[in-house]
Amino acid sequence: MEYRPLGRTGVRVSPLCLGAMMFGGRTSPSDAADIIDRALDAGINFIDTANVYAQGRSEEAVGAALARNGRRNDVILATKVHGRIGEGPNAMGNARRHIIEQCHASLRRLGTDWIDLYQIHRPQPDIPIDETLRALDDLVRSGKVRYIGTSTFAAWQLVESLWVSKEYGLERFVCEQPPYNLLDRRIERELLPMARAYGFAIIPWSPLAGGLLTGKYTRNAPPPPDSRYANLDANPMYRRRMNDAIWDVIEPLESLARDKGTTISRLALAWCMHQPGVTSPIIGPRTMEQLEDNLAALDIAITDEDRQAIDRIIAPGTHVSPYYEADWQPGPYRW
């Protein structure tokens, strides 16, 4: 297994990160523990979850699995805060009160004394970034958090955060978790060059486009009844992503994968894993079978010819399905 630096830190992580979004929900805690054991045995040392996944049950499942196998010290454990968990006006967001409260709750659910990477799940322009950073800095100084990061931030927001960290002597973000896949390559425009310039790790979410790049879906067939795209009318976001334009990308990619003697899912994951500036794409297996398919991508080589062929199918910096979206407007407060 090749281990990569987590940005400018001294920590090294596997080239795939095990995402736990399904754990404690569609994946039972027992099955989740088996998946975690298999991933660790395969050399993966990086696990990512969030407080909102299954309303805390994902963190509980990860914590129970690491208690069962006794391998907490082998793992770089990441979780996130921002989304709503509970009721009331202060039960979400990037304010100091919520961040510290939810860090303590995540520590309890994970059954650990520290979080290796604590990430802000989405930007929130109406909360000053210095308030967010001060709360995270206090958590690092108290020993409850080792490193801090973000998810789906704009490049300008991350550069601003670096300025604020320097201005106030606060811990800086070391990692960004954006969506990145062969249906949405927009982070190549600014985010990836910024990350390489300033030493941010990049751990992409949805490298398989929520399953659209797995071969499960085809142009003229309805989505499988147990899939996330089965009821497009119930989720406008999924309808926007599963649009007519994606098939003009997916079908040529499937042909390219067949020519390489592999599957579209393994090709798409290997491509993401080997893109310049990418640290560790996050896989999100629901079953052991899906994990095994993801692990097989580690053996797929991406040649210059492959990259050129892929660039002809979906041009760099472009998209046909919207993933890279968040609230990137300037807020009412500056430092």
Side-chain angles (χ1 to χ4, degrees):
M1 180 72 70
E2 164 210 8
Y3 293 94
R4 301 172 173 182
L6 185 69
R8 64 199 294 275
T9 78
V11 170
R12 303 187 74 83
V13 295
S14 49
L16 289 177
C17 174
L18 180 63
M21 189 172 71
M22 294 294 178
F23 298 171
R26 296 185 68 188
T27 304
S28 71
S30 176
D31 288 343
D34 291 340
I35 289 172
I36 288 173
D37 286 348
R38 173 69 182 100
L40 297 185
D41 289 343
I44 288 178
N45 73 338
F46 196 7
I47 298 176
D48 176 75
T49 183
N51 64 336
V52 293
Y53 293 164
Q55 286 293 288
R57 295 192 301 278
S58 171
E59 289 183 327
E60 291 172 352
V62 171
L66 294 177
R68 189 183 82 169
N69 62 28
R71 299 181 67 178
R72 169 64 184 94
N73 288 339
D74 298 336
V75 170
I76 304 303
L77 185 56
T79 191
K80 300 184 284 293
V81 62
H82 167 79
R84 175 167 295 280
I85 183 161
E87 301 297 329
N90 297 307
M92 66 172 295
N94 301 343
R96 176 184 180 85
R97 182 182 191 275
H98 184 67
I99 289 170
I100 293 177
E101 173 190 82
Q102 284 304 305
C103 180
H104 293 160
S106 289
L107 288 167
R108 288 194 301 269
R109 286 188 291 261
L110 290 164
T112 185
D113 294 329
W114 80 97
I115 294 165
D116 292 293
L117 176 63
Y118 199 40
Q119 302 157 101
I120 301 300
H121 210 157
R122 288 295 185 276
Q124 186 178 359
D126 64 340
I127 301 294
I129 190 63
D130 57 290
E131 174 174 344
T132 300
L133 285 166
R134 175 68 70 185
L136 294 170
D137 185 79
D138 285 347
L139 290 171
V140 172
R141 291 174 185 272
S142 69
K144 295 169 183 174
V145 169
R146 299 290 187 258
Y147 300 101
I148 59 174
T150 57
S151 178
T152 321
F153 274 51
W156 78 263
Q157 291 172 319
L158 294 172
V159 172
E160 178 188 60
S161 79
L162 294 181
W163 189 92
V164 172
S165 291
K166 182 177 180 181
E167 182 75 3
Y168 294 130
L170 302 174
E171 194 75 13
R172 56 165 280 172
F173 292 128
V174 302
C175 182
E176 158 63 12
Q177 183 181 141
Y180 187 39
N181 56 60
L182 283 168
L183 301 181
D184 192 340
R185 299 181 59 176
R186 285 178 290 177
I187 70 167
E188 296 170 356
R189 298 176 185 175
E190 290 189 21
L191 185 68
L192 280 179
M194 182 283 303
R196 296 176 74 183
Y198 290 99
F200 277 82
I202 294 290
I203 55 173
W205 61 265
S206 209
L208 297 179
L212 292 175
L213 293 169
T214 63
K216 181 189 298 186
Y217 305 97
T218 58
R219 186 190 294 264
N220 297 315
D226 64 340
S227 70
R228 70 179 68 190
Y229 296 99
N231 187 2
L232 295 178
D233 292 333
N235 193 318
M237 179 183 67
Y238 287 163
R239 177 168 290 282
R240 291 174 60 226
R241 289 177 178 175
M242 196 177 195
N243 60 64
D244 291 340
I246 66 172
W247 307 115
D248 294 334
V249 173
I250 290 173
E251 290 167 355
L253 288 174
E254 289 177 327
S255 177
L256 179 62
R258 284 194 296 270
D259 291 344
K260 283 183 67 68
T262 189
T263 63
I264 185 174
S265 62
R266 295 173 187 177
L267 174 69
L269 189 53
W271 173 86
C272 186
M273 196 189 326
H274 293 295
Q275 281 295 95
V278 168
T279 305
S280 184
I282 300 171
I283 56 175
R286 178 172 56 86
T287 65
M288 187 69 75
E289 180 183 16
Q290 290 175 355
L291 173 64
E292 295 293 351
D293 186 68
N294 296 159
L295 292 174
L298 293 165
D299 298 323
I300 303 298
I302 301 295
T303 66
D304 290 341
E305 290 75 16
D306 293 332
R307 290 189 178 89
Q308 292 165 10
I310 288 169
D311 288 349
R312 289 191 292 270
I313 295 169
I314 173 80
T318 64
H319 77 291
V320 293
S321 185
Y323 285 82
Y324 188 41
E325 298 179 323
D327 190 346
W328 297 327
Q329 298 302 312
Y333 307 110
R334 299 268 72 84
W335 334 281

